[in-house]
Amino acid sequence: MCGIVGYVGPSGAGEKSVEVLLGGLKRLEYRGYDSAGVAVVDSEGHLDSRKRAGKLQVLVDDLEADPLTDGATGIGHTRWATHGGPTDANAHPHLADDGKLALIHNGIIENFSALKAELLAEGVEFLSETDSEVAAHLVARAYRRTGDLAEALRAVVATLDGAFTLLVVHADQPGVVVGARRNSPLVIGLGDGENFLGSDVAAFVAYTRRAMSVGQDQMVTIRPDSVEVVDFDGNPVETTEFDIDWDASAAEKGGWSSFMAKEISEEPEAVAKTLLGRVADGAVTLHELDGVADRLATIDRVIVIACGTAAYAGILGKYAIEQWARVPVEVELAHEFRYRDPVLDEKTLVVSISQSGETMDTLMAVKYAREQGAQVLSICNTQGSTIPRESDAVIYTHAGPEVAVASTKAFVAQGTALFLLGLHLATLRGTMTSEAIAEQVTDLQAIPEKIERVLESSERISTLAGWMADTRSVLFLGRHVGYPIALEGALKLKELAYIHAEGFAAGELKHGPIALIEPGQIVFVIVPSPRDPRSLHPKVVSNIQEIRARGARVIAIAEEGDAAVLPFADEVLHIPLAAPLFESLLAVVPLHVFGMELAAAKGLDVDQPRNLAKSVTVE
Ligand code: F6R
């Protein structure tokens, strides 16, 4: 939560900090949008700053009306409020040292009260209610002592508990931005005569595709021509450069009405790119797992850990891995897993799933699992993020940047990666014949084109959503892989359209939830294929009849040609035929479109729903 950007460029004519910082903040706004602010140091050693409550546009308008003096050095912040409400005063940057030092912060400083009391006793005046302002005054105090910004920040981080990425600039040190990180993200962008810092690579991908991560408990100092990384003890640290495989346009709306509309349209590509280079001649090859192949062959249990939408994708993985690789799989919310003293050993494979690679709950669960001796494999969409660094191996999904706060294309990419992992494990464990694997691979390769076809009928879903703009409650039912899809459909409606929505396993209906059904209640039902050998289809059709008999309005998502649901459903949204497990990747698409369209019909901001941030980097 919170997005941060830092920049140093050439001084002299054409200094462009403000432009770089606002561009970076625009791409990081998904991380929080309660307020935004920038601080700029010019080559004369003047520090100027501006910050405003509200979305970034409020700050942009303000700066247009009353521009800052630009400089070659600057920092920028977009906030998701934790300590103190979303006000101008609580917005970052926070100033200290008589306005000569500016600091931005992502995270939570847990011992801020004690530190603040100390500063108050020394007569320091606070202008905000934030934990971050405490850090600004502490760095200012240390700077007065050391005269060196990096040394001052290093002295301060030794006294802080909690999670933080901090960036600091000082008027006396034009051309320098200093940063430090613990449990919050920070990446470096390497330019030509200019360098960048950001919460993720989206912050600077418009300027450079060369990047380096800053590790846990490390500090970085950027100047126009140099980058220096040290640990919290001041020892130099070796860092490895990587190439960003997103281009700048991928992080732009490109003519779409919203990032979410664009990202849903990219679901076919997200699946196709995640398959790319990993399937050939009817076999699955995951070279990224070569280093852990020996240990993978000996696992006797898999635990999938993730949060929200990523956890629902995890349930798809459970069904696929158990069916194909015959190894027991549990799926657990990362925040529950970590605190329940789970039994883990070296034969446990923990699979963490995270689009951002920064979700704190998932990150902490990953660290915990490794401490307990389990091996951790991560499925992640963001290069340079923390979770892959903390894992034994990583399968990157190649969905491209996901900017809309609610996850869509990442879900289908995560499902695809899990299906690949299931087939890979089945190959290693010899639980499927090569013919059976080849059959699944062929079906999986056909999914992108089938998602395209589902998207072609989006207009019908928009019309339905328009009719339902006043709906107060929607239920979602599914069985087998339809169950996580029901959960995902409900979550999208809650977070995007602020409508009460619940997803249930259809078999659970008669154990309680059917009491919710009253005349007019809208229920989406994900209907499995009538070709399914497990005969789930007739069971779901019976469930539909049970709720119809009690007055529910049923919207069925069913396979093309499924005539059995027609007499009982008020609406049927058809999806192309696919193998039973892969139907999930098709059935979820109309639900993503529905959530987005219903939110739009209610006049809501689909990219930035209230109270949320994309990367949940606090617990
Ligand atoms: C819902 C959504 C969230 C995320 C969850 C995990 O639309 O986006 O539920 O899926 O916060 O985020 P990552 O995948 O970044 O760990």
Side-chain angles (χ1 to χ4, degrees):
M1 319 201 124
C2 299
I4 58 170
V5 197
Y7 174 71
V8 275
S11 54
E15 291 179 347
K16 58 170 188 188
S17 278
V18 173
E19 177 195 320
V20 175
L21 297 174
L22 293 179
L25 291 180
K26 186 164 159 247
R27 288 189 194 86
L28 292 182
E29 205 184 6
Y30 68 81
R31 300 178 64 89
Y33 28 87
D34 287 330
S35 63
V38 292
V40 173
V41 179
D42 69 17
S43 35
E44 312 282 302
H46 298 122
L47 186 150
D48 204 356
S49 71
R50 186 78 47 81
K51 53 185 189 172
R52 289 287 173 264
K55 292 191 174 172
L56 178 63
Q57 194 57 44
V58 177
L59 176 71
V60 171
D61 291 345
D62 194 292
L63 287 170
E64 252 167 40
D66 179 15
L68 285 184
T69 312
D70 216 336
T73 308
I75 52 178
H77 188 271
T78 177
R79 177 171 188 244
W80 187 83
T82 55
H83 293 65
T87 60
D88 284 355
N90 289 332
H92 300 216
H94 293 286
L95 301 184
D97 207 10
D98 296 328
K100 290 203 292 179
L101 178 147
L103 173 144
I104 55 177
H105 170 219
N106 170 26
I108 292 180
I109 297 169
E110 285 167 1
N111 58 335
F112 88 100
S113 299
L115 296 167
K116 185 168 180 174
E118 204 182 287
L119 289 164
L120 283 169
E122 289 172 16
V124 173
E125 272 183 50
F126 283 84
L127 303 176
S128 79
E129 304 148 277
T130 63
D131 51 341
S132 316
E133 192 184 359
V134 173
H137 289 294
L138 289 173
V139 180
R141 186 175 70 177
Y143 181 72
R144 283 193 292 273
R145 199 177 63 242
T146 62
D148 180 299
L149 200 52
E151 278 308 301
L153 182 59
R154 199 161 69 76
V156 169
V157 293
T159 67
L160 303 181
D161 294 335
F164 49 83
T165 297
L166 297 164
L167 297 190
V168 199
V169 289
H170 198 288
D172 294 348
Q173 301 217 344
V176 181
V177 180
V178 179
R181 69 153 290 211
R182 168 179 290 165
N183 296 333
S184 287
L186 183 61
V187 274
I188 305 165
L190 302 167
D192 190 8
E194 56 184 358
N195 287 305
F196 309 80
L197 295 170
S199 298
D200 73 38
V201 296
F204 46 72
V205 70
Y207 297 95
T208 180
R209 307 276 281 277
R210 292 169 51 217
M212 290 192 314
S213 306
V214 181
Q216 175 74 340
D217 288 358
Q218 290 179 0
M219 304 204 25
V220 56
T221 302
I222 58 166
R223 296 186 168 82
D225 294 311
S226 70
V227 169
E228 191 189 355
V229 182
V230 297
D231 63 19
F232 279 5
D233 294 324
N235 304 309
V237 171
E238 283 280 316
T239 37
T240 338
E241 197 178 314
F242 64 90
D243 287 330
I244 305 167
D245 65 6
W246 299 346
D247 62 25
S249 64
E252 304 288 347
K253 263 192 237 169
W256 290 88
S257 57
S258 62
F259 278 108
M260 174 156 283
K262 173 174 177 263
E263 287 160 13
I264 292 175
S265 82
E266 290 168 347
E267 291 195 14
E269 202 183 329
V271 174
K273 286 193 167 164
T274 301
L275 292 176
L276 204 68
R278 292 168 169 156
V279 284
D281 304 326
V284 171
T285 319
L286 293 176
H287 282 307
E288 50 272 77
L289 305 189
D290 285 352
V292 291
D294 290 350
R295 285 189 73 187
L296 281 186
T298 63
I299 55 163
D300 62 9
R301 194 157 70 110
V302 177
I303 304 179
V304 178
I305 49 169
C307 300
T309 285
Y312 301 154
I315 305 177
L316 300 179
K318 170 184 169 68
Y319 294 158
I321 295 170
E322 288 196 340
Q323 184 180 326
W324 292 333
R326 310 308 299 152
V327 57
V329 183
E330 296 160 47
V331 181
E332 191 149 356
L333 296 170
H335 35 90
E336 288 296 316
F337 167 82
R338 198 180 142 212
Y339 292 109
R340 73 166 171 80
D341 202 6
V343 180
L344 303 167
D345 60 29
E346 69 283 356
K347 290 193 167 180
T348 311
L349 172 68
V350 168
V351 177
S352 90
I353 311 172
S354 176
Q355 187 287 128
S356 60
E358 299 295 347
T359 299
M360 179 64 88
D361 290 312
T362 310
L363 172 63
M364 290 304 177
V366 163
K367 288 186 177 178
Y368 176 84
R370 283 186 91 196
E371 279 159 21
Q372 305 299 309
Q375 63 177 320
V376 177
L377 189 171
S378 290
I379 293 177
C380 184
N381 194 43
T382 311
Q383 286 174 295
S385 59
T386 310
I387 291 174
R389 291 171 62 93
E390 297 288 340
S391 307
D392 296 292
V394 55
I395 302 176
Y396 279 106
T397 48
H398 296 301
E402 199 179 57
V403 177
V405 164
S407 203
T408 54
K409 63 176 177 172
F411 176 84
V412 291
Q414 288 159 351
T416 305
L418 286 158
F419 291 142
L420 288 173
L421 177 63
L423 293 170
H424 181 73
L425 290 176
T427 310
L428 286 180
R429 297 166 68 83
T431 47
M432 281 170 88
T433 62
S434 48
E435 291 75 23
I437 290 177
E439 200 179 313
Q440 297 295 336
V441 167
T442 308
D443 283 347
L444 196 48
Q445 284 177 301
I447 293 298
E449 185 270 327
K450 290 178 183 177
I451 299 181
E452 291 282 4
R453 279 165 51 202
V454 178
L455 288 171
E456 280 160 19
S457 53
S458 295
E459 220 164 283
R460 175 114 179 280
I461 305 165
S462 310
T463 314
L464 271 179
W467 291 341
M468 292 184 198
D470 296 328
T471 303
R472 296 172 63 88
S473 160
V474 180
L475 303 182
F476 293 80
L477 298 181
R479 275 178 192 256
H480 191 245
V481 288
Y483 168 48
I485 300 309
L487 296 173
E488 168 67 356
L491 177 59
K492 288 288 110 73
L493 220 49
K494 286 182 239 203
E495 64 182 336
L496 294 171
Y498 316 151
I499 288 177
H500 178 256
E502 293 294 337
F504 297 108
E508 190 66 7
L509 199 62
K510 290 194 279 292
H511 300 283
I514 197 162
L516 289 169
I517 306 292
E518 54 187 14
Q521 171 68 52
I522 293 168
V523 187
F524 277 76
V525 184
I526 295 103
V527 185
S529 165
R531 300 168 295 117
D532 185 328
R534 290 153 312 170
S535 313
L536 287 176
H537 181 267
K539 292 192 195 343
V540 173
V541 175
S542 299
N543 294 141
I544 293 179
Q545 285 170 280
E546 288 154 12
I547 54 174
R548 270 289 288 246
R550 288 161 178 84
R553 285 183 59 200
V554 174
I555 302 168
I557 298 178
E559 182 177 280
E560 282 163 0
D562 181 351
V565 287
L566 294 178
F568 311 115
D570 296 84
E571 290 285 338
V572 182
L573 304 171
H574 285 295
I575 55 172
L577 277 61
L581 285 161
F582 306 151
E583 280 170 2
S584 54
L585 299 182
L586 305 180
V588 76
V589 177
L591 299 184
H592 283 164
V593 176
F594 182 73
M596 175 184 72
E597 292 293 352
L598 191 45
K602 291 179 74 172
L604 299 171
D605 182 339
V606 298
D607 286 338
Q608 296 179 340
R610 69 184 176 202
N611 304 337
L612 292 170
K614 190 156 184 69
S615 286
V616 184
T617 55
V618 291
E619 285 187 78

